[in-house]
């Protein structure tokens, strides 16, 4: 009887333990891990099937699991820095545990792994974009003329602009995309603001931080770029409008410029048919806060 009670208590306790699985999302990373003797899988598809089976088993047992993006090169660097043997499974577990607190993760909530992996990759890209943009902002340093921190001033300006853009948007679900052209590549940030009867609409903190940081970088460096808003509401056509980054502010795009941008194939330059049920519009007036202000040296 005592043994049964102990087993029952241990099963209950196991349900209280959260777990993280580091997953190899693509064939390239999977092949890189096969160089380790203790990594016994030899087929990526089979490996993913076992991952999904483990997720389902843990869910049936009442355990919460998150997925982390396991990068073989980062793992090798981690082991080299700490003097660990990368071919020891316990060290892979140790690395994965740190990913749970520092890297991109997504929770498993019963969805198919085929849906979960793209979400994990998107989360990794989002985090990498934010880290890169934040690093570039920090490197701008202080203005030689007035001593003001350029990156901080630009972030404040971008935050104010985002507030004005959301405040002036028509009712509905909002989808914002900001792109900033730079070296070595264009940075893109996405922000969703779903209208669920809240005023203001709730934002995902991580998305908002990334979006504001990318916009701030474009403003601070006066790089080419743009911002596009799409609103969707029941019973009315979707509205699409936008701005180009100009100096330290935003310049409205005409309805024709928005139409041309959406109805031109990016690679070929050929015209494509416009979407039905969509209005390409001139953006709302952002007011005084929509024009350059603050640090202008």
């Amino acid at each position: 009887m005592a043994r049964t009670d102990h087993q029952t208590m241990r099963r209950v306790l196991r349900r209280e333990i959260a777990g993280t699985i580091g997953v190899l999302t693509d064939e390239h990373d999977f092949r890189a891990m096969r160089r380790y003797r203790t990594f016994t899988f030899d087929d990526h598809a089979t490996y993913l099937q076992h991952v999904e089976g483990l997720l389902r088993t843990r869910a049936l047992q009442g355990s919460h699991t998150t997925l982390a993006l396991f990068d073989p090169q980062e793992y090798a660097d981690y082991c080299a820095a700490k003097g660990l043997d990368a071919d020891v499974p316990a060290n892979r577990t140790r690395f994965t545990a740190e990913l749970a607190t520092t890297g991109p993760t997504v929770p498993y909530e019963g969805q198919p792994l085929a849906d979960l992996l793209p979400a994990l990759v998107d989360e990794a890209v989002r985090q990498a974009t934010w880290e890169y943009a934040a690093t570039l902002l920090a490197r701008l340093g202080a203005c030689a003329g007035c001593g003001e921190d350029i990156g901080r001033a630009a972030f404040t300006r971008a935050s104010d602009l985002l507030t004005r853009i959301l405040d002036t948007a028509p009712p509905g679900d909002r989808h914002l995309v900001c792109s900033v052209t730079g070296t070595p590549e264009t940075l893109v940030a996405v922000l969703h603001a779903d209208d669920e009867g809240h005023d203001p609409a709730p934002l995902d903190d991580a998305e908002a931080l990334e979006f504001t940081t990318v916009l701030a970088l474009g403003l601070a460096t006066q790089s080419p770029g743009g911002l596009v808003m799409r609103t969707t509401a029941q019973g009315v056509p979707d509205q699409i409008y936008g701005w180009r980054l100009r100096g330290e502010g935003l310049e409205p795009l005409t309805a024709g410029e928005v139409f041309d941008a959406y109805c031109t194939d990016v690679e070929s330059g050929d015209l494509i048919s416009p979407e039905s049920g969509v209005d390409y519009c001139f953006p709302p007036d952002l007011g005084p806060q929509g024009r350059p202000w603050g640090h202008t040296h």
Side-chain angles (χ1 to χ4, degrees):
M1 186 68 173
R3 178 178 175 81
T4 302
D5 288 342
H6 282 301
Q7 290 176 338
T8 300
M9 286 188 288
R10 286 177 181 174
R11 283 197 297 270
V12 171
L13 190 57
R14 276 198 293 269
R15 293 200 295 267
E16 303 294 326
I17 300 174
T20 302
I21 297 176
V23 64
L24 301 160
T25 59
D26 60 50
E27 190 75 40
H28 178 268
D29 286 347
F30 179 82
R31 287 197 302 269
M33 288 300 294
R34 291 196 62 202
R35 68 177 180 264
Y36 300 119
R37 178 185 55 82
T38 56
F39 185 79
T40 56
F41 291 96
D42 56 13
D43 177 75
H44 188 228
T46 302
Y47 160 79
L48 292 178
Q49 289 173 4
H50 281 282
V51 170
E52 187 157 26
L54 177 58
L55 289 169
R56 289 173 179 169
T57 299
R58 286 181 54 82
L60 289 173
Q61 293 171 344
S63 299
H64 175 77
T65 311
T66 58
L67 260 66
L69 191 67
F70 194 102
D71 186 307
Q73 186 57 54
E74 288 184 4
Y75 172 63
D77 294 342
Y78 169 85
C79 289
K82 293 186 176 292
L84 302 174
D85 183 352
D87 206 1
V88 173
N91 291 333
R92 291 199 287 273
T93 302
R94 181 176 172 180
F95 174 69
T96 300
E98 294 202 15
L99 286 179
T101 59
T102 62
T105 61
V106 294
Y108 176 70
E109 297 172 335
Q111 62 271 60
L113 193 60
D115 296 337
L116 202 57
L117 293 185
L120 180 58
V121 172
D122 288 346
E123 177 65 14
V125 171
R126 183 203 60 74
Q127 182 168 317
T129 298
W130 171 74
E131 290 175 349
Y132 180 67
T135 298
L136 294 182
L137 267 183
R139 287 177 180 173
L140 294 176
C143 173
C146 69
E148 183 177 17
D149 186 291
I150 298 173
R152 186 176 296 114
F155 190 88
T156 299
R157 184 161 57 253
S159 298
D160 289 340
L161 278 170
L162 178 57
T163 299
R164 291 294 302 151
I165 288 168
L166 293 174
D167 285 347
T168 58
D173 294 341
R174 295 87 178 266
H175 180 85
L176 276 157
V177 179
C178 178
S179 61
V180 174
T181 303
T183 304
E185 61 186 18
T186 297
L187 296 180
V188 178
V190 178
L191 179 65
H192 302 88
D194 294 337
D195 187 355
E196 299 174 344
H198 301 284
D199 187 17
L203 300 177
D204 180 276
D205 290 341
E207 275 193 0
L209 178 60
E210 179 205 352
F211 190 93
T212 306
T213 303
V214 170
L215 177 57
L217 180 64
L219 296 173
T221 58
Q222 300 191 20
S223 300
L227 192 155
V228 174
M229 164 75 87
R230 180 171 189 150
T231 62
T232 302
Q234 190 172 4
V236 297
D238 285 10
Q239 294 187 29
I240 301 178
Y241 52 83
W243 300 262
R244 65 172 56 86
L245 273 62
R246 180 73 73 188
E248 294 188 328
L250 299 175
E251 180 180 273
L253 297 172
T254 66
E257 288 173 324
V258 177
F259 179 88
D260 289 343
Y262 269 79
C263 300
T264 303
D265 186 273
V266 176
E267 295 183 358
S268 67
D270 295 335
L271 294 177
I272 56 178
S273 300
E275 293 183 64
S276 60
V278 172
D279 286 342
Y280 302 92
C281 315
F282 190 82
D285 182 13
L286 297 182
Q289 295 187 59
R291 296 189 284 274
W293 70 93
H295 184 87
T296 55
H297 297 290

